[in-house]
Amino acid sequence: MDPRELTIDQVRLLLDRGEASAVEICQAHLDCIAQRNPETRALLHQDAAAALEQAAQIDRLRKAGQPLPPLAGVPLVIKDNISIRGQRCTCGSKILENYQALYDATVIARLRAAGSLFVGKANMDEFAMGSSTENSAFFPTRNPHALDYVPGGSSGGSAAAVAAGMAVGALGSDTGGSIRQPASFCGVVGVKPTYGRVSRYGLVAFGSSLDQIGPLARTVKDAARLLGAIAGRDTHDATSATLAVPDYVAAIENPVKGLKVGLPRQYFKAGIAPEVTARIQAGLKLLEQLGCELVEVDLPHTEYAIACYYVVAMAEASSNLSRFDGVRYGLRVHGEGTLTGMYRETRDAGFGNEVKRRIILGTFVLSSGYYDAYYLKAQKVRTLIKQDFEKALAKADVIASPTSPTPPFRLGEKSSDPLAMYLSDIFTITANLAGIPGISLPCGRTSSGLPIGLQLLGKHFDECTLLRLGHAFEIAGGFALN
Amino acid sequence: MRYEAVIGLEVHAQLLTKTKIFCTCSTAFGAPPNTNTCPVCLGFPGALPVLNREAAIMASKAALALGCKLNPVSIFARKNYFYPDLPKGYQISQFDRPLAEHGSITIGSNGSSKQVRIKRVHMEEDAGKSIHDGFADSSRYSYIDLNRSGTPLIEIVSEPDLHSPDETHDYLTRMKVILEYLEVCDGNMEEGSLRCDANVSVRLAGESKLGIKTELKNLNSFRFLKNALEYEISRQIQVLEEGGAVVQETRLWNTAEHRTVSMRSKEEAHDYRYFPEPDLPPLVIDNAWESEIRASMPELPDAKRARFISQYGLPEYDASVLTTSRALADFFEETVSLCQSAKAASNWIMGDLLRDLKEFNRTIGESPVRPRAIADLIRLIESGEISGKMGKDVFEAMFRERKSPQEVIAERGLKQITDLGTLERIIREIVAANAKTYEQYKSGKKAALGFFVGQVMKATQGQANPQLVNELLRKILDA
């Protein structure tokens, strides 16, 4: 059993045939973690005993001849901004270094009920702010395909863990591309669901109107299974949609011939690395061979997207991070014994530079006298961007683009230039602004073997078409494991 | 008077929902600190608010009863500021699009009533409580109790239509009564379930431009409100009289020193950085839901007062007093339904009952005398079994000993003497024993009649039927 090649279906087969116990499957992944984590540093912490106990419960069910839940014995890695009761939930931040979650996030409760095992909590950019996992307050994660390179971010630990075989799948969170971009950099599948498709309850908020939890996996089918397990209405999240959850796994088998693939003219301009352009062009050709029709679409407000995104995301973040004040949990630095001293010194010691930068910018754009010029204007632009997508997706079933304009970059290469880092989010942030779903699919590699990702964006709540086309694409391209 | 005060009131009312506004924790008062809490109202990472439908209904009832128009779509907003008893670092409130707008309350009495406009009613969550005193280490630490965190509030903002402490008192009283009628707030200012801040300015009488205002806080009772307003108005007038200018600031009513003191200046005022709460969808109240809410509302004080006047023929004063609380009005109506004598019921309730309740510090709900007993008492008097005067004593015993009037009368042998023979015998004895007074009466001093009535009542320990005594006395004296 090579954990790097296991899929959810194969885990089930091993269990059903009695070829391996859940404990053995779990142990194989723990071994893989022991072997690969010291070099990749994908995980921040783990509770191996809890995972093995979950596995033992599955084995007890098997022995008793009880039916197994759908994700029985499937080892998963969870981004460390998603609460698992009794485990630390650091968000990659010093301010929550010793914070233990009091409750299960809704997605965790659902995965627990579905029988999956939580083998580790994944490293991330602090509070999901970053695109390389270098902003983790603890250590950067390295790309398992090339250790000098970043795994992307902010869900870099989740993507690296799946690529390295530490888990069959992972959960990440995506506020501006934080699932799709690391999936692209690590050569795995990453899905950002429609806003409201998956409950955010228990996800430590960054940009509340943009955040979505989604799966990372080595195959589209596995991503579909994981999405099916976590999606759906949650009474603890007022923004979760009441819409019924379709059978994503059944949907991927449907034919893709005749699907219209929109290519935004604004996305294929200068600024994309040549090797990325080459792989994406090949990928688009493959889509044509699958019977898809490529059509040009227009997203005229693209040039305002980055500014709009950062205003909205930082405004929400500045408010969301106010609760980390040293009063009830997490880090507390007493200061000179005054209340403001405690606030100042706790937050100064607890937050990293990127987080502070965003809190300051977010506070500024919401300030009296600036609100209209920044926050309100950004909201108006956001509406225009949403409308752009509505029009474009009336002409096309999906929209294709590179996930990232560049292949994975080296550690330290961009960390001194936050603006360059922000600009690399251009293809992914629009989906969060518009609330539409997106998927990043492996789409070949650079000459030096670094993964490149193709992004497909779809209509609201039409994850089915993304998964279905992704499934056909990975099989046709030989990108999938099986 | 050269100066006119201009006052606007911001009232916070805690709603009487069983659970908090954004989570399912209990709102019960008096639980051990930090026990009615959960990840949501403690502001733990990842927790999200979900609006309590009951809170929206109660808030809407209040808004409708205050004559406001409900906005079909209202929006929650975050009010950002740091304070240890505000767990999230922001309060979920409403800002740009509140629940309701454009209402009013009528104050004053018929002769000189006026409308005070209500600008808006919005929903928000309460913060926790900081406890700065009472612990061994209180000099170094403050303690925090988050049981109250997330209790639903409505904020009711008036236009600056009030011009005196009395008007303001009247306005707040009427609002309190309305909220109590609706059973959406218990109106307890001392416990903080009804709180108010006042914006106060003064200007020369006749001037239309508003003066510079101060905001008064810590007005935790009707008395404090009135005292603070009186103080602040004369303070501002004095500042102007001395040629100075009022400084725009927030001032705190200092109960001990009986004055307002500066708390923070305009420059130190918070920038709350309001923005729409992304965790909550807009609150949509469509026509159907609004009708449903309206249908569930009880008769309100103004309507009830008018009905008491027309239906029971009560004077306006009686109707006003009896409708000051829904419980009192219900008590009255139940009494009338049992004895059919509205004015008598009103007199007993407004007079003896309210006096004794006040004396023993009881609410109408705790009254030891129930409507049935008052109705019985009224019937006993009307049928002549006891006199009105005896009734007073009977009532006193009913209240203090928790007995029915029949029991009191039986125990004390208080039956009225109505037997003509007995009364005539008593009267003749008294007249005979007071021959001198009898002579005076006969010589024209008719006032001596009162003396004889008193003697008869004394002799009968008050049990003689006064009407009969009068009739018989005249007959005998004038014979």
Side-chain angles (χ1 to χ4, degrees):
Chain A
M1 173 184 16
D2 182 352
R4 277 172 306 178
E5 292 180 1
L6 273 184
T7 63
I8 294 173
D9 286 348
Q10 287 162 350
V11 167
R12 189 49 170 265
L13 271 179
L14 288 174
L15 293 176
D16 284 352
R17 291 178 182 160
E19 290 170 13
S21 68
V23 168
E24 284 166 341
I25 294 167
C26 183
Q27 191 57 54
H29 286 85
L30 294 176
D31 292 345
C32 179
I33 291 169
Q35 194 200 336
R36 297 297 310 274
N37 199 46
E39 55 183 24
T40 58
R41 311 201 83 176
L43 303 187
L44 283 169
H45 54 93
Q46 61 178 152
D47 187 343
L52 285 166
E53 176 48 35
Q54 283 179 289
Q57 271 178 31
I58 299 294
D59 286 336
R60 283 195 287 273
L61 281 180
R62 289 170 64 230
K63 284 210 186 82
Q66 303 272 338
L68 295 184
L71 297 176
V74 175
L76 299 177
V77 153
I78 307 297
K79 190 178 183 179
D80 208 23
N81 59 351
I82 298 171
S83 308
I84 300 179
R85 188 189 170 104
Q87 295 197 20
R88 284 158 63 211
C89 186
T90 70
C91 296
S93 180
K94 290 277 181 204
I95 211 160
L96 289 178
E97 187 169 7
N98 296 310
Y99 165 69
Q100 258 195 15
L102 290 181
Y103 63 100
D104 274 346
T106 298
V107 290
I108 294 302
R110 288 182 179 173
L111 289 173
R112 205 187 276 288
S116 53
L117 324 173
F118 309 123
V119 293
K121 295 295 294 282
N123 198 12
M124 55 185 284
D125 288 299
E126 185 177 2
F127 286 107
M129 296 176 181
S131 311
S132 68
T133 315
E134 292 168 292
N135 290 340
S136 165
F138 304 110
F139 41 76
T141 293
R142 291 162 182 274
N143 193 316
H145 297 285
L147 294 173
D148 290 342
Y149 287 80
V150 301
S154 65
S155 310
S158 298
V162 173
M166 298 180 197
V168 171
L171 291 187
S173 67
D174 191 315
T175 307
S178 281
I179 290 173
R180 291 160 288 159
Q181 187 255 19
S184 160
F185 278 20
C186 291
V188 299
V189 177
V191 178
K192 192 240 37 120
T194 308
Y195 186 79
R197 181 70 293 179
V198 176
S199 166
R200 294 182 294 118
Y201 189 73
L203 168 68
V204 182
F206 161 17
S208 310
S209 72
L210 304 157
D211 296 341
Q212 269 292 287
I213 295 171
L216 296 100
R218 288 187 294 266
T219 67
V220 171
K221 193 174 185 182
D222 280 1
R225 284 206 190 283
L226 292 173
L227 180 61
I230 60 173
R233 173 70 179 162
D234 174 20
T235 52
H236 288 105
D237 177 0
T239 64
S240 72
T242 49
L243 221 64
V245 179
D247 184 341
Y248 295 120
V249 178
I252 62 173
E253 306 295 348
N254 292 330
V256 299
K257 196 165 186 292
L259 283 179
K260 284 187 182 156
V261 177
L263 306 177
R265 77 177 105 238
Q266 289 82 0
Y267 282 18
F268 289 89
K269 284 180 171 171
I272 303 177
E275 281 204 280
V276 173
T277 305
R279 297 321 311 160
I280 296 300
Q281 290 303 340
L284 295 176
K285 195 140 284 157
L286 191 57
L287 290 174
E288 278 188 303
Q289 285 161 14
L290 288 167
C292 296
E293 184 192 341
L294 302 184
V295 296
E296 196 177 66
V297 294
D298 201 21
L299 297 171
H301 296 95
T302 299
E303 61 174 308
Y304 307 110
I306 292 205
C308 169
Y309 170 79
Y310 277 96
V311 168
V312 172
M314 290 179 190
E316 291 180 1
S318 72
S319 175
N320 283 330
L321 298 188
S322 295
R323 67 185 63 196
F324 306 110
D325 56 5
V327 174
R328 287 143 297 136
Y329 46 76
L331 182 70
R332 175 191 290 181
V333 183
H334 281 272
E336 325 90 22
T338 63
L339 178 61
T340 45
M342 183 185 85
Y343 282 153
R344 192 167 48 235
E345 299 201 20
T346 297
R347 289 165 69 84
D348 185 35
F351 291 139
N353 284 339
E354 182 59 30
V355 174
K356 286 177 189 161
R357 176 165 29 240
R358 295 195 192 197
I359 290 174
I360 291 167
L361 287 169
T363 303
F364 174 76
V365 301
L366 289 175
S367 296
S368 165
Y370 298 97
Y371 180 89
D372 288 3
Y374 292 99
Y375 185 80
L376 205 61
K377 181 152 293 169
Q379 290 296 0
K380 288 176 183 165
V381 173
R382 186 175 184 177
T383 303
L384 294 174
I385 288 170
K386 265 184 212 171
Q387 289 167 353
D388 278 2
F389 275 96
E390 277 163 23
K391 283 178 203 156
L393 286 165
K395 281 177 64 181
D397 296 294
V398 299
I399 288 170
S401 75
T403 306
S404 165
T406 68
F409 44 88
R410 286 177 189 276
L411 268 81
E413 194 179 324
K414 290 192 187 174
S415 50
S416 60
D417 186 354
L419 201 59
M421 197 79 96
Y422 294 174
L423 291 173
S424 69
D425 297 338
I426 177 64
F427 298 132
T428 47
I429 54 174
T430 47
N432 301 79
L433 288 171
I436 57 174
I439 189 169
S440 180
L441 303 159
C443 185
R445 297 190 179 211
T446 64
S447 52
S448 54
L450 296 167
I452 284 170
L454 171 76
Q455 174 180 254
L456 300 176
L457 302 176
K459 295 169 188 170
H460 283 103
F461 297 102
D462 190 17
E463 283 81 1
C464 285
T465 303
L466 298 181
L467 294 164
R468 166 180 152 205
L469 189 52
H471 179 64
F473 181 79
E474 71 177 4
I475 291 171
F479 302 126
L481 287 161
N482 51 343
Chain B
M1 188 174 121
R2 279 187 64 205
Y3 288 93
E4 177 190 50
V6 180
I7 302 162
L9 226 51
E10 290 172 13
V11 177
H12 286 90
Q14 275 184 357
L15 299 178
L16 286 170
T17 52
K18 287 196 177 64
T19 56
K20 294 184 179 180
I21 184 168
F22 298 124
C23 62
T24 53
C25 289
S26 165
T27 52
F29 189 79
N34 298 305
T35 53
N36 287 341
T37 55
C38 73
V40 176
C41 57
L42 291 174
F44 265 64
L48 295 171
V50 177
L51 179 63
N52 176 349
R53 192 180 151 89
E54 198 53 37
I57 292 171
M58 286 194 182
S60 300
K61 280 187 188 175
L64 291 170
L66 297 170
C68 292
K69 253 179 68 103
L70 290 185
N71 281 322
V73 177
S74 66
I75 292 174
F76 288 95
R78 291 187 185 177
K79 178 180 180 178
N80 295 282
Y81 66 95
F82 284 96
Y83 204 69
D85 60 24
L86 186 73
K88 299 187 294 298
Y90 56 85
Q91 177 193 29
I92 303 178
S93 180
Q94 294 187 307
F95 187 58
D96 273 341
R97 194 101 61 92
L99 176 75
E101 294 171 275
H102 311 304
S104 68
I105 289 181
T106 305
I107 63 167
S109 55
N110 261 0
S112 60
S113 68
K114 78 174 231 187
Q115 296 240 308
V116 179
R117 291 169 300 156
I118 289 168
K119 189 175 178 174
R120 55 187 275 149
V121 175
H122 72 247
M123 303 175 69
E124 60 187 26
E125 59 180 337
D126 209 343
K129 269 185 186 153
S130 294
I131 305 159
H132 302 296
D133 315 296
F135 290 93
D137 51 1
S138 281
S139 61
R140 293 168 57 225
Y141 293 103
S142 291
Y143 285 76
I144 294 163
D145 178 3
L146 294 171
N147 280 348
R148 200 181 69 180
S149 166
T151 297
L153 295 176
I154 47 173
E155 181 173 337
I156 303 159
V157 183
S158 83
E159 296 286 359
D161 288 351
L162 297 157
H163 296 294
S164 71
D166 280 338
E167 279 190 2
T168 310
H169 189 279
D170 192 2
Y171 167 81
L172 187 60
T173 305
R174 284 175 195 255
M175 180 185 298
K176 176 175 180 280
V177 171
I178 291 171
L179 297 176
E180 287 168 349
Y181 261 64
L182 295 166
E183 293 173 340
V184 300
C185 176
D186 67 19
N188 191 327
M189 288 190 83
E190 284 72 21
E191 276 179 17
S193 46
L194 191 70
R195 315 195 271 271
C196 82
D197 304 332
N199 289 305
V200 188
S201 62
V202 297
R203 62 184 172 195
L204 282 173
E207 177 75 63
S208 60
K209 211 173 131 238
L210 288 171
I212 293 162
K213 69 177 180 186
T214 59
E215 185 182 1
L216 302 186
K217 287 189 177 287
N218 199 29
L219 312 174
N220 298 334
S221 74
F222 279 90
R223 194 160 51 86
F224 294 167
L225 171 68
K226 232 173 133 170
N227 292 347
L229 287 174
E230 276 160 7
Y231 175 90
E232 181 63 15
I233 290 165
S234 47
R235 187 191 71 85
Q236 290 189 14
I237 290 173
Q238 196 184 337
V239 167
L240 296 180
E241 291 273 78
E242 287 167 0
V246 174
V247 178
Q248 185 174 341
E249 61 185 352
T250 302
R251 298 178 69 88
L252 220 54
W253 173 245
N254 186 317
T255 335
E257 297 175 22
H258 211 75
R259 65 194 187 96
T260 64
V261 287
S262 180
M263 181 181 150
R264 60 170 175 253
S265 70
K266 186 189 172 193
E267 287 70 30
E268 295 166 298
H270 295 294
D271 178 358
Y272 291 119
R273 306 189 308 281
Y274 281 99
F275 73 104
E277 165 58 286
D279 288 331
L280 288 168
L283 171 60
V284 177
I285 300 183
D286 59 16
N287 287 337
W289 194 14
E290 183 178 332
S291 310
E292 202 181 301
I293 293 168
R294 269 189 201 283
S296 71
M297 287 167 59
E299 185 180 34
L300 293 170
D302 283 349
K304 206 183 274 292
R305 184 166 48 243
R307 181 168 64 79
F308 277 17
I309 295 168
S310 64
Q311 182 179 340
Y312 300 116
L314 291 182
E316 189 193 334
Y317 176 76
D318 290 36
S320 295
V321 172
L322 291 172
T323 53
T324 48
S325 86
R326 193 169 151 187
L328 182 62
D330 288 348
F331 190 102
F332 165 76
E333 291 210 276
E334 195 182 333
T335 308
V336 176
S337 76
L338 295 167
C339 71
Q340 314 304 328
S341 302
K343 184 56 185 151
S346 169
N347 290 345
W348 280 106
I349 292 168
M350 281 173 47
D352 301 69
L353 179 63
L354 287 184
R355 185 198 61 227
D356 283 355
L357 287 174
K358 194 172 174 193
E359 188 185 332
F360 289 87
N361 198 21
R362 299 253 175 89
T363 66
I364 186 76
E366 296 160 350
S367 170
V369 176
R370 306 310 309 164
R372 159 63 64 193
I374 293 184
D376 287 350
L377 179 63
I378 290 169
R379 279 194 298 101
L380 288 165
I381 293 167
E382 286 179 351
S383 68
E385 283 202 51
I386 56 171
S387 67
K389 178 154 188 318
M390 286 163 72
K392 296 276 180 193
D393 298 334
V394 172
F395 182 89
E396 208 176 294
M398 285 160 63
F399 192 96
R400 282 156 187 76
E401 295 162 29
R402 290 182 172 270
K403 285 177 178 151
S404 71
Q406 292 86 343
E407 283 173 307
V408 176
I409 290 166
E411 277 175 18
R412 306 195 172 184
L414 283 179
K415 268 220 176 308
Q416 192 162 229
I417 303 169
T418 50
D419 180 68
L420 288 175
T422 311
L423 284 176
E424 194 171 330
R425 183 174 50 75
I426 293 169
I427 288 168
R428 288 194 187 283
E429 278 169 20
I430 284 169
V431 170
N434 293 281
K436 209 169 169 187
T437 315
Y438 175 70
E439 288 308 323
Q440 284 170 353
Y441 179 87
K442 278 301 200 189
S443 61
K445 199 179 170 202
K446 299 292 175 197
L449 178 70
F451 168 80
F452 285 112
V453 172
Q455 290 300 307
V456 175
M457 295 312 282
K458 197 175 160 192
T460 58
Q461 288 163 340
Q463 294 184 51
N465 180 317
Q467 212 180 330
L468 290 179
V469 170
N470 267 299
E471 281 172 21
L472 283 174
L473 261 174
R474 278 210 185 82
K475 206 177 90 186
I476 292 166
L477 292 174
D478 295 340

